[in-house]
């Protein structure tokens, strides 16, 4: 996911450095406690998550996770 000021965009790649967008860019303002309908909210987190919806107890392995601050304006 790439955050650009007030929006964020998801990307994926099946080959190294050939990133492609997934869907549209979203309003990052929706990631605040103003939109959680009265629930407690501790802020925005970035993490890897996978769920096996097949019920076959499959797993996923991640080779790495990299977070970089962007200096683009």
């Amino acid at each position: 996911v790439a955050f650009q000021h007030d929006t964020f965009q998801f990307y994926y790649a099946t080959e190294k450095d050939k990133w492609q967008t997934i869907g549209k860019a979203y309003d990052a303002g929706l990631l605040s406690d103003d939109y959680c309908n009265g629930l407690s909210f501790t802020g925005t987190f970035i993490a890897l998550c996978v769920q096996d919806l097949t019920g076959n107890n499959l797993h996923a392995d991640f080779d790495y996770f990299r977070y970089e601050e962007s200096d683009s304006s």
Side-chain angles (χ1 to χ4, degrees):
V1 66
F3 282 86
Q4 297 294 327
H5 302 285
D6 59 350
T7 62
F8 63 97
Q9 175 73 54
F10 289 97
Y11 293 84
Y12 78 98
T14 57
E15 296 178 39
K16 185 176 179 167
D17 297 325
K18 293 190 177 185
W19 294 98
Q20 299 178 41
T21 60
I22 298 175
K24 63 177 185 161
Y26 292 94
D27 179 359
L30 299 177
L31 299 176
S32 73
D33 57 359
D34 292 335
Y35 294 93
C36 65
N37 296 324
L39 301 173
S40 296
F41 189 78
T42 59
T44 303
F45 293 89
I46 297 174
L48 295 174
C49 176
V50 67
Q51 298 174 347
D52 174 18
L53 300 179
T54 68
N56 293 319
N57 295 321
L58 300 174
H59 69 278
D61 295 318
F62 299 99
D63 292 330
Y64 68 94
F65 176 82
R66 182 178 67 209
Y67 172 81
E68 296 177 4
E69 286 193 45
S70 173
D71 58 358
S72 63
S73 299

